[in-house]
Amino acid sequence: MNIDESAVTPAKATKRRPIAIAAVVVVVGVFGWLLYGGLDKNVVFFLTPQELLAKGTSGYDVPVRLGGQVKPGTVKWDDKTLRLTFDVTDGQSDIAVQSSGAPPQMFRDGQGVVVEGRFGRDHVFNSTGLMIKHSNEYRPPKAGEKPQEMYKTLIKGSGA
Amino acid sequence: MAFADDWRRVRAIAWKDLTTERRSKAGFNGVVALGVTILMLFGFALGPDTQAIRDAAAGALWLAALFAAVLAFNRSYQVELESGALDPLLLYPGSRWAIFSGKLLANLSFVGLMLVIVVLVGIVLFQVTIPAAWPALIGVLVLGAIGICTLGTFYASMASRSRAREVLLPLLLFPMLVPALLAAMQASKALLGGDLMHEADAWIKLLIAYDVIFLIATHLAFEHVIEA
Amino acid sequence: MPPTANNWNFVIAAYVIAWVTLGGYWLFVHRAVRQARAQYDQAVSAAAKSEGTSK
Amino acid sequence: MSTQSTSWVPPRAGRWPLFGAFTILFLIAGQVLGLTQSPADRDMGDLEKIIYVHVPAAWVMSVTFAIVMFYSLRYLWKRDERDDLAAAAAAEVGTLLNGLTLALGMIFGKPTWGVWWAWDARLTSTLVLFLIFIGYLSLREFVDDPERRAQWSAAVGILGAINVGIVYMSVRWWRTLHQMQSSPETVDATYVLALRVNAFAFLFLMIYFVRRRYESLCLVRAADHAAEAAALRGA
């Protein structure tokens, strides 16, 4: 054991230590720059309504994801045509979304959603996919409250 | 002056590798042919929609370049392993990282040249209109090539000395390359489309950061990898 | 589809996958230990024998 | 180059089987607690029960890869073969938990989010981590020289384990479909107890798995050493 110890450890290791430390500092520095230098902009999974509207004409007719809350009171479900319309809001701006098919079961007023599709020139977002973005809260229903009441009233009688 | 010695070693190793490649042009021609073939296959896969092909051009170009480059990385050590030249190389006095730098430089020239040809063919095949910001696009190509070659040269030094190197190199390399490839593809795509949404900047920054981090990390780690 | 009817299917699928994976690995680990122990004992006794003959 | 001598004796089973039996009982208690004692969530109903397997698997996966990091660094520092074997054992268990996290997450995602998979930063980085460690395990499989294998896998293991930090922080750094980490403030007290019990049960199970795998890897290496020594002496 004591024979290979000296053979395995390079003799120059101590001499090169300052270089190694400098290198580690640079790596950590670059990593910090990555995180706090505004690079997070391009890794976002979705845009908020305000960000999408801010893009102006370049935001039209390109595939994007839009995320926000379902604005309470705007949900309309047509069980004949299976057409679903609602507004997505981030508190500042709203965008009307048109979707088809029954939504996921957690869909309700005020729920976080992400829709995939294209924002049309008529200022209606044509959705080809609807996802729920739920919070990190897990709570049982309060006394008298029934889970998923909203969904049942929304989809009732659709037979879907 | 010790640094000057190392630098001379870097150039000597790079020059030696490139000379070997120049003498046997078959390797280079084969790699370029593979890159062009993959581009053509992407063309078939995407179908007759010209606009769809244009949109997918950036992604297809980088993937074709990546698959072709992987062949080059294994080759760069294979020559030495077959002739038994790696052990005497390690016995020379001087820093081990110089070997890595030399190999990296050689691979970079090799892959860079391949990339130029593949991109030119890709521009024709995919009917890409060259954007006004073409110098930035060349910058993205250079940065992307550095990212791919740095990790490729590093992992090939292990994979080429294992059994099943053809499987092992992509298996180790591709997951680690995800950030670099994603950034290179997105930046190229944005620039080819005229960069209307001003996305390219952030992706180029990510590429620079990736290159710096892994250039340093691989140089530090190479010593542990090559001595075994 | 009625909203809650299929939920138990997902829950059951998740628990079955978790239990089968962990249980399967449990069996694998114990078999590996048993085999390694046998291999080691055999190697050690063989080494002891060869030491006895060479002396 | 593999001239390392065996100055070490392979570890014994000791009281670890007892620990294993205790872990199993603890895990069963935790799973029963989660399945029977937690009320349905107000939004996701009974689906909430999946968190008692998905979340512990994800948490303990991070701990396991931290162990890989620790022993890989220690190997490069001390050059003790056993550290390499410990890192290998942890990497195997970590990859298993990583795969489990992904599979259970997909089952959780379909009914709650509406999709099996989404290319957001959390899910993608978890998949990349999984693939990196598949590569790590393949590397060990394909390299025969033990010392070479140890040094290379230490390098790959350290580079790979850095990704754990990225996976963990991805939901804070970037806007993702996956929600942020839950904490006792965001999770009702009726769920917290079952979640904690299951998290510790998974942690104990992981420790047990890693220890027993380490034991078997050490035994195999020690058997090789003994055979080598016998061959040298016989020659």
Side-chain angles (χ1 to χ4, degrees), chain C:
Chain C
M1 105 187 150
T4 48
N6 284 332
N7 281 356
W8 275 105
N9 293 347
F10 286 101
V11 175
I12 290 165
Y15 275 82
V16 166
I17 286 179
W19 291 343
V20 166
T21 311
L22 295 176
Y25 192 69
W26 176 278
L27 296 178
F28 165 76
V29 166
H30 284 95
R31 208 188 51 202
V33 172
R34 228 176 16 251
Q35 284 174 354
R37 179 75 62 189
Q39 197 181 335
Y40 175 70
D41 290 343
Q42 200 194 348
V44 168
S45 66
K49 219 175 285 167
S50 78
E51 198 165 2
T53 52
S54 66
K55 260 177 193 166

Side-chain angles (χ1 to χ4, degrees), chain B:
Chain B
M1 61 210 163
F3 188 78
D5 285 347
D6 286 336
W7 177 235
R8 212 165 29 244
R9 284 187 91 206
V10 171
R11 272 182 317 179
I13 290 166
W15 189 246
K16 177 192 70 63
D17 276 21
L18 286 174
T19 316
T20 325
E21 281 302 339
R22 234 185 12 243
R23 292 222 180 101
S24 67
K25 290 198 187 63
F28 182 76
N29 294 346
V31 169
V32 170
L34 179 76
V36 173
T37 310
I38 294 172
L39 276 186
M40 187 186 72
L41 294 178
F42 269 115
F44 292 141
L46 295 167
D49 185 348
T50 310
Q51 192 51 45
I53 286 181
R54 252 181 227 148
D55 289 343
L61 271 173
W62 278 110
L63 284 186
L66 176 68
F67 291 145
V70 166
L71 291 185
F73 299 144
N74 265 333
R75 282 176 51 81
S76 86
Y77 291 94
Q78 216 171 335
V79 179
E80 261 129 5
L81 287 172
E82 277 162 11
S83 61
L86 196 61
D87 292 330
L89 205 61
L90 292 175
L91 288 176
Y92 283 130
S95 307
R96 295 278 161 77
W97 64 260
I99 301 174
F100 182 70
S101 292
K103 291 259 166 223
L104 175 57
L105 220 56
N107 276 337
L108 209 51
S109 329
F110 189 87
V111 169
L113 204 59
M114 183 265 291
L115 204 57
V116 169
I117 300 174
V118 170
V119 166
L120 289 178
V121 174
I123 285 173
V124 177
L125 278 184
F126 291 168
Q127 302 172 41
V128 174
T129 42
I130 295 169
W134 61 268
L137 199 58
I138 290 176
V140 171
L141 287 173
V142 170
L143 288 172
I146 292 176
I148 291 175
C149 287
T150 306
L151 279 181
T153 312
F154 179 71
Y155 281 120
S157 71
M158 302 182 209
S160 62
R161 284 187 285 159
S162 75
R163 292 183 283 124
R165 57 171 169 263
E166 293 82 3
V167 186
L168 196 54
L169 180 58
L171 206 55
L172 292 173
L173 180 60
F174 289 178
M176 290 299 287
L177 277 181
V178 165
L181 280 175
L182 183 70
M185 284 173 183
Q186 296 294 333
S188 320
K189 191 179 174 187
L191 288 170
L192 284 176
D195 200 15
L196 293 171
M197 314 240 281
H198 303 290
E199 300 165 303
D201 279 8
W203 288 114
I204 292 171
K205 275 190 203 160
L206 179 63
L207 255 184
I208 294 171
Y210 183 93
D211 287 358
V212 170
I213 287 174
F214 281 107
L215 270 174
I216 293 173
T218 48
H219 272 91
L220 285 179
F222 187 70
E223 193 155 341
H224 296 296
V225 165
I226 199 71
E227 77 185 9

Side-chain angles (χ1 to χ4, degrees), chain D residues 71-72 74-75 78 80-88 214:
Chain D
Y71 280 109
S72 299
R74 204 177 121 111
Y75 173 78
K78 301 232 168 166
D80 185 338
E81 192 178 15
R82 282 172 297 180
D83 288 337
D84 170 56
L85 299 176
Y214 168 67

Side-chain angles (χ1 to χ4, degrees), chain A residues 105 148 151-152 155 159-160, chain C residues 1-5 7 10:
Chain A
Q105 58 178 332
Q148 296 147 343
Y151 190 95
K152 277 179 191 157
I155 299 296
Chain C
M1 105 187 150
T4 48
N7 281 356
F10 286 101

Side-chain angles (χ1 to χ4, degrees), chain B residues 158 163 171 224-225 227, chain D residues 1 79 141-142 144 151-152:
Chain B
M158 302 182 209
R163 292 183 283 124
L171 206 55
H224 296 296
V225 165
E227 77 185 9
Chain D
M1 273 242 189
R79 303 284 165 159
E141 208 58 41
F142 290 135
D144 296 324
Q151 292 198 18
W152 292 357

Side-chain angles (χ1 to χ4, degrees), chain A residues 19-68:
Chain A
I19 300 176
I21 290 169
V24 169
V25 168
V26 173
V27 168
V28 171
V30 172
F31 208 73
W33 177 65
L34 253 182
L35 293 177
Y36 299 103
L39 283 184
D40 49 338
K41 295 274 187 309
N42 44 23
V43 197
V44 295
F45 186 63
F46 56 85
L47 300 174
T48 63
Q50 205 176 18
E51 285 166 343
L52 184 57
L53 290 171
K55 290 203 182 292
T57 50
S58 68
Y60 294 139
D61 290 325
V62 286
V64 284
R65 295 194 193 96
L66 171 72

